Amino acid sequence: MQLEGITALVTGANRGIGAAFARALVEAGAAKVYAGARDPETVTDPGVVAVKLDVTDDASVRALAAELGDVQLVINNAGVGAPSLPLDIDIEQARWEFDVNYYGTLRVAQAFAPILAKNGGGALVNMLSVVSFIAMPHLANYSATKSAAWSLTNGLRQQLREQDTLVVGVHVGYVDTDLTAGLEGDKIQVSQVSDALVAGLLAGDEEVLVDEISRNVKSGLSAPLSVLYPDPAAA
């Protein structure tokens, strides 16, 4: 996909990976980048256009779609998460995470797909995770939301081919953001994610596996469950 001169929307673009996506698109030559956030005043990058967007609110999503008829690229980045073991999941927190990570992605896709079609197809990008492929027990509900969003992405890819919209899933392990601040482990920088996505869009890739852990897990999904989910007691 050509990025120079396009108009793009990035959700959750006031910080972290979303802000990095917005900056990377500007640097790649995009003519206009709308940076969506619940509070537009939290968008501080002068190179983007801050817009109000709450992906959990149907009216907010529809209103923005009605306003932004020039969008050719949509990046569904808005996401939330909290550590939780399966039996310790707070149901209300779980609903909130699904409302943002799954239903929010769906709302934006449904609202903006007709606009992408009108503007020649363009691309829809969904920010996913390595936990789309494999569950991590300490991120049980977050893993579930990203797995659901991965399935949705695959369905959208098939349907939106009819209108020549490229649908891209982005998978990555730990990134140095607020979401992973309390988690131990190696973390990559947000710029590595945005650089990988820009390269993937330019190449027309339908899937962007940003880091080694995402590539290894994806390639190993046919392994026995005992390999994917080893028993620590058996080590």
Side-chain angles (χ1 to χ4, degrees):
M1 178 184 182
Q2 178 65 43
L3 298 180
E4 188 171 352
I6 69 161
T7 298
L9 166 67
V10 182
T11 73
N14 57 325
R15 61 181 181 174
I17 297 173
F21 281 153
R23 286 192 299 270
L25 291 173
V26 171
E27 292 170 0
K32 186 184 295 182
V33 178
Y34 296 112
R38 289 191 193 91
D39 180 1
E41 292 186 2
T42 60
V43 177
T44 58
D45 193 324
V48 302
V49 179
V51 293
K52 183 175 179 58
L53 175 63
D54 181 352
V55 300
T56 69
D57 184 282
D58 291 337
S60 175
V61 175
R62 288 195 302 267
L64 190 62
E67 180 183 345
L68 306 186
D70 56 346
V71 169
Q72 299 157 286
L73 167 64
V74 174
I75 300 182
N76 262 318
N77 168 76
V80 295
S84 58
L85 291 167
L87 297 183
D88 298 332
I89 292 173
D90 178 83
I91 296 299
E92 290 306 312
Q93 174 69 25
R95 289 194 179 102
W96 168 245
E97 290 181 26
F98 265 96
D99 204 14
V100 177
N101 298 352
Y102 177 78
Y103 292 112
T105 296
L106 178 58
R107 287 184 186 98
V108 171
Q110 289 179 333
F112 280 89
I115 296 170
L116 295 176
K118 182 191 69 174
N119 293 329
L124 172 70
V125 176
N126 289 341
M127 184 62 208
L128 303 171
S129 170
V130 68
V131 300
S132 306
F133 302 143
I134 188 168
M136 292 188 179
H138 60 287
L139 292 171
N141 193 69
Y142 180 75
S143 297
T145 68
K146 290 300 184 178
S147 182
W150 178 38
S151 182
L152 174 64
T153 301
N154 291 330
L156 287 167
R157 180 176 297 118
Q158 295 175 73
Q159 184 176 13
L160 296 186
R161 280 185 182 138
E162 300 175 2
Q163 65 177 47
D164 293 324
T165 296
L166 173 69
V167 176
V168 184
V170 181
H171 299 266
V172 68
Y174 287 161
V175 184
D176 191 10
T177 64
D178 293 346
L179 181 63
T180 64
L183 301 176
E184 296 182 358
D186 294 334
K187 302 173 186 178
I188 68 171
Q189 298 302 305
V190 292
S191 60
Q192 294 175 256
V193 186
S194 59
D195 288 348
L197 175 58
V198 166
L201 286 170
L202 291 172
D205 295 336
E206 293 184 318
E207 188 170 70
V208 175
L209 303 174
V210 176
D211 53 2
E212 185 176 2
I213 186 173
S214 296
R215 292 187 288 272
N216 288 344
V217 170
K218 178 68 185 295
S219 66
L221 286 179
S222 61
L225 288 178
S226 59
V227 174
L228 295 173
Y229 302 102
D231 182 357

